[in-house]
Amino acid sequence: MAIRLKMTGRAKRTKRHRSAHDSASRGSPLQRRRARWGGSRGTRSAPRGRRTKTSSLSVLRWRQEGARIGAAWRSEHPHGTKEALRDYAQRQWSVKAQAGAAGIRALDWPAWRSAGLAFARGIRDGSGLAVALMPLALRGRAAAVVSAGSDPDALRSTLEQLSALPLEEIVVVLGEAPEALWFAARQHPNAVVTHVPQTLDPGIGRALGAKLTGEDIVLFADGSMPVPAVALASFLWRCDGGMDAALNDCASRDRLFHQRGEVPWMKEFLNMSLGRPDLKTNSLDALPFALSRTALDAVGASVLAVPPRAHAALLVKGLKVGIGGRTPRTATAEELAAGDHAEAWREAITAKGPRLHYQDKVRNRSVVGGVVHDTGIHPYPVL
Amino acid sequence: MTKRAGNRRKRTSAYRAHRRTGEALIPPRLSEPTMHPEQDASPRFAPRVSVIVPVMNEKRTLARVLREAARIHTRTEVIAVVNGSTDGSLEIARRSGARVLVFDRPLGHDVGRSIGAQEASGNILLFIDADMVIPAEKLRSFTDAIGQGVDVALNDYSGPTRRASVHGVVLAKHALNALLGRPDLAGASMTAVPHAISRRALETIGAASLSVPPMAHTMAVHAGLTVKRVKRVNVGQLNPLRTSRERTSSLKPLIVGDHVEAIHWWLRNTNDRGGYEDGNRHRWRVR
């Protein structure tokens, strides 16, 4: 397929309009409104709509580079395996990314992604091997924790996608698992398998997996819903760039407020009260998400068993919580949500006080003798 | 109002003390003659419904509000808690024949509800605001519900929710109800007026809690009282001036804090999980 060096047709027409940076006066009504609001914290990390386009010239360059490297490797290792090629390609990518441009990290994720994908394509073309590869230049070491689910094929697919990423290890947590699932997990060369022979709550599985790995970035993935490697890479990249928790942006798919139900209401209220209305209904229970080592050390891996509580802990400790990407998520069981949120509130109130710094300076409570009705517990001090 | 001997202000020593020091004036119920001879404390004329109206500066609507309140039931006691009024609302309240509790300085939001509830003698207590004129027929739905056994009769209006993003107070009310295990209440809460409570509810939660309405709401739900939405009164549209004054948005931090305070009370009176089970989690596995 030919790579176009010149833009023609619609690409050329839109390019002319795009050169004027006046998004406040043109675009769809939603884009104009967004331009007027300005950026809000966190959501700009996965921008929608107009993307900075990596010029087709640099994409072509990366592809050619990949082809050259692939061909060179192939000639040196005529019987080399895909895994070896993958490792070699990731190392080459890291080297080139660090050497390539001084401010290359200043580019946003779509630019990195296109360049990486082009490079991978070149590797495949040059070496002739159909290797799944998502080149990602991380400064730290990354690992993944996979909750196995119940479908062996889905698990295999998830592990394949994860193997495209530069991960040091993949921890697969199996609960009550049929043999097929066990074999699917064991087949993968890079996987560390943890098997607890009882039904395992997903949060417990994540906490267990997090305790078993010590890498700088931990990606939590769902074994029952395979997500493409390129989407997972976004989460790793965000955490590598300084974010402590990179969440999955499910709020963009929310229905209208009155249709959402009690769990999104509680999540959104927790976020708003802890000073993060931009997170809306996003929380730490939507897979995939990624956590940095700082975050895991600060809150402790065992708190991941209760996702809302972990979310509250991250926010009250002032860690950098943001959006890492947008992928479809599996519906999570919601019977324990109310109790979990009670724990989350306990966490928040313990850290910030009974009113979370929202003072009551307007009421004259002494006139009514203090406001609390606790038999056996003394009333609050008069405010 | 007709001029009657009972309508004239009695200059008692308590009143003079109030004028001198600016302290709260709570008229002792039995010793001082009240405005209307019918509103004696004798059991035959004991009010069935007490309507409590906190008033600061609402001269534009107060007379109509108090008139509608008095029309709810034949045995209705209207209690106007006038606090920090400077625009003549006090005179209007006195002339209307309502029972007036006067405070020189503003008490703060919702404290007037507690004061009024402490002084109320009806079995049904209805709380309304002085800046919204709601016809007696609509108010009667709330008091009738209490008469039929409901403990807390709420306004079914949750605020505008058919949108992607709602006001923080609307969100807080929905979330609190969800947390308490009452998602059926949606955004209805004792924060909003009009609402009515039974005497049993008042004795369970205590009049003081009414000063922090989400707290009162939480206590009522936690105590297992019958809390229901009974009628939708669109208070967002009744008074366009109210929304343009943006009273609610400047109160948002206060109301959010109230909800957190209510959650704090609830956690202290249940357990770490608000009384909910932990399912089959077996969290000892990751201790």
Side-chain angles (χ1 to χ4, degrees):
Chain A
M1 193 181 89
I3 303 277
R4 284 202 208 103
L5 298 179
K6 271 195 332 192
M7 278 189 269
T8 54
R10 181 204 261 187
K12 186 168 185 178
R13 283 197 294 275
T14 51
K15 181 191 179 228
R16 220 185 305 127
H17 289 301
R18 240 191 263 135
S19 60
H21 278 277
D22 193 12
S23 47
S25 65
R26 56 155 187 80
S28 74
L30 181 59
Q31 284 176 348
R32 282 200 293 274
R33 226 185 305 152
R34 284 221 175 101
R36 258 187 282 125
W37 290 338
S40 58
R41 184 170 29 145
T43 50
R44 298 291 286 174
S45 54
R48 223 197 282 187
R50 190 158 59 92
R51 303 185 178 184
T52 44
K53 188 179 172 194
T54 317
S55 80
S56 51
L57 210 53
S58 75
V59 164
L60 177 66
R61 180 169 73 83
W62 284 115
R63 190 170 166 194
Q64 286 168 343
E65 193 63 25
R68 191 181 59 76
I69 292 174
W73 182 87
R74 189 56 173 191
S75 55
E76 281 170 40
H77 311 91
H79 304 291
T81 58
K82 284 187 192 174
E83 286 74 26
L85 173 59
R86 192 179 291 150
D87 293 338
Y88 179 72
Q90 291 279 9
R91 279 198 303 276
Q92 286 295 309
W93 175 254
S94 295
V95 164
K96 295 211 172 297
Q98 276 159 20
I104 201 165
R105 179 141 275 270
L107 287 180
D108 57 354
W109 171 242
W112 269 105
R113 182 182 60 209
S114 328
L117 288 172
F119 184 75
R121 190 152 170 213
I123 293 275
R124 280 193 287 273
D125 292 344
S127 66
L129 288 178
V131 55
L133 171 68
M134 178 61 227
L136 197 55
L138 299 174
R139 287 177 291 206
R141 293 158 61 95
V145 170
V146 183
S147 338
S150 52
D151 182 4
D153 293 324
L155 181 62
R156 241 189 300 269
S157 193
T158 305
L159 292 173
E160 257 175 50
Q161 294 300 321
L162 284 172
S163 59
L165 298 164
L167 300 169
E168 305 299 325
E169 63 180 354
I170 302 175
V171 179
V172 182
V173 184
L174 292 173
E176 187 98 52
E179 267 196 44
L181 205 59
W182 170 255
F183 280 126
R186 287 278 290 157
Q187 259 167 18
H188 199 270
N190 222 11
V192 172
V193 184
T194 300
H195 184 213
V196 176
Q198 282 115 23
T199 31
L200 210 56
D201 183 83
I204 297 283
R206 290 197 284 273
L208 264 178
K211 276 183 183 282
L212 289 172
T213 174
E215 313 295 353
D216 301 319
I217 305 168
V218 183
L219 172 70
F220 296 85
D222 188 357
S224 58
M225 177 173 251
V227 171
V230 61
L232 294 173
S234 165
F235 295 88
L236 290 172
W237 193 79
R238 294 285 162 205
C239 274
D240 196 55
M243 219 181 253
D244 289 311
L247 305 179
N248 190 1
D249 186 14
C250 307
S252 47
R253 279 186 296 272
D254 271 341
R255 294 185 279 179
L256 292 181
F257 183 85
H258 69 292
Q259 297 165 315
R260 282 179 204 158
E262 57 254 42
V263 180
W265 292 339
M266 290 191 284
K267 288 183 189 171
E268 193 174 358
F269 181 54
L270 187 65
N271 283 331
M272 182 197 75
S273 311
L274 294 176
R276 293 298 304 271
D278 59 299
L279 290 178
K280 292 181 254 195
T281 58
N282 290 318
S283 176
L284 206 63
D285 70 339
L287 292 170
F289 63 87
L291 292 177
S292 69
R293 178 50 43 190
T294 324
L296 281 168
D297 289 341
V299 305
S302 43
V303 82
L304 290 176
V306 184
R309 185 176 162 191
H311 187 81
L314 290 171
L315 290 181
V316 298
K317 289 189 155 63
L319 295 166
K320 292 192 272 277
V321 178
I323 302 297
R326 188 180 303 128
T327 65
R329 53 168 284 200
T330 40
T332 40
E334 293 181 346
E335 304 94 40
L336 303 174
D340 290 354
H341 278 271
E343 288 192 49
W345 276 106
R346 190 179 178 76
E347 187 84 28
I349 287 171
T350 311
K352 289 191 158 190
R355 285 180 66 102
L356 288 191
H357 304 324
Y358 294 103
Q359 311 265 342
D360 180 5
K361 292 182 186 135
V362 299
R363 288 196 185 103
N364 184 346
R365 298 186 182 212
S366 61
V367 161
V368 296
V371 178
V372 78
H373 177 83
D374 288 353
T375 49
I377 304 176
H378 62 81
Y380 289 133
V382 165
L383 291 179
Chain B
M1 292 298 296
T2 54
K3 284 198 179 140
R4 281 204 226 166
N7 279 354
R8 285 184 51 207
R9 207 164 47 210
K10 293 280 183 175
R11 292 194 186 278
T12 61
S13 56
Y15 177 78
R16 278 192 222 109
H18 153 68
R19 290 297 296 241
R20 239 200 329 267
T21 63
E23 277 176 4
L25 171 73
I26 308 239
R29 246 184 299 147
L30 296 175
S31 58
E32 189 184 275
T34 51
M35 288 301 164
H36 269 308
E38 292 85 44
Q39 284 184 12
D40 268 347
S42 55
R44 196 153 72 93
F45 297 110
R48 173 103 170 110
V49 177
S50 296
V51 184
I52 293 130
V53 193
V55 180
M56 197 155 93
N57 290 317
E58 317 290 355
K59 65 174 179 187
R60 206 179 63 88
T61 47
L62 185 58
R64 282 178 288 158
V65 167
L66 295 175
R67 189 164 59 230
E68 290 300 326
R71 280 206 304 127
I72 293 172
H73 192 276
T74 45
R75 281 155 46 200
T76 302
E77 161 190 54
V78 181
I79 302 175
V81 185
V82 183
N83 58 109
S85 170
T86 53
D87 71 343
S89 299
L90 179 55
E91 264 309 304
I92 299 171
R94 289 219 159 104
R95 262 185 281 134
S96 73
R99 199 163 143 216
V100 178
L101 311 175
V102 187
F103 292 81
D104 217 31
R105 280 180 285 269
L107 296 169
H109 295 277
D110 312 311
V111 178
R113 297 187 197 174
S114 288
I115 305 281
Q118 276 168 356
E119 294 299 313
S121 44
N123 291 324
I124 301 171
L125 291 86
L126 175 71
F127 298 88
I128 60 177
D129 269 354
D131 62 350
M132 276 182 280
V133 184
I134 302 173
E137 294 73 29
K138 287 199 179 168
L139 295 176
R140 215 170 281 142
S141 321
F142 296 92
T143 52
D144 286 349
I146 304 291
Q148 282 155 19
V150 175
D151 286 308
V152 178
L154 297 175
N155 185 353
D156 191 11
Y157 179 66
S158 303
T161 53
R162 287 174 187 266
R163 49 181 67 178
S165 183
V166 300
H167 195 280
V169 171
V170 174
L171 173 63
K173 295 194 275 190
H174 281 82
L176 180 63
N177 282 328
L179 204 55
L180 298 173
R182 292 296 306 269
D184 60 299
L185 293 177
S189 161
M190 286 175 70
T191 312
V193 289
H195 67 263
I197 65 176
S198 64
R199 173 130 311 259
R200 175 172 151 226
L202 180 67
E203 279 158 14
T204 308
I205 67 182
S209 65
L210 298 170
S211 293
V212 184
M215 176 83 79
H217 183 83
T218 304
M219 290 177 180
V221 170
H222 177 66
L225 297 170
T226 314
V227 180
K228 280 168 93 164
R229 307 187 281 177
V230 303
K231 176 140 185 89
R232 187 181 165 91
V233 178
N234 191 333
V235 297
Q237 286 182 11
L238 270 177
N239 186 353
L241 277 182
R242 182 188 177 90
T243 41
S244 73
R245 269 184 289 164
E246 287 186 319
R247 268 167 53 173
T248 322
S249 55
S250 61
L251 291 177
K252 182 174 134 185
L254 175 74
I255 299 178
V256 170
D258 290 349
H259 281 82
V260 181
E261 192 178 343
I263 293 173
H264 175 56
W265 177 90
W266 179 62
L267 288 173
R268 282 169 76 190
N269 284 274
T270 52
N271 61 11
D272 275 3
R273 284 185 63 78
Y276 292 104
E277 308 257 318
D278 203 18
N280 294 326
R281 210 171 237 157
H282 303 297
R283 58 177 80 187
W284 51 265
R285 290 201 178 115
V286 288
R287 207 177 22 205

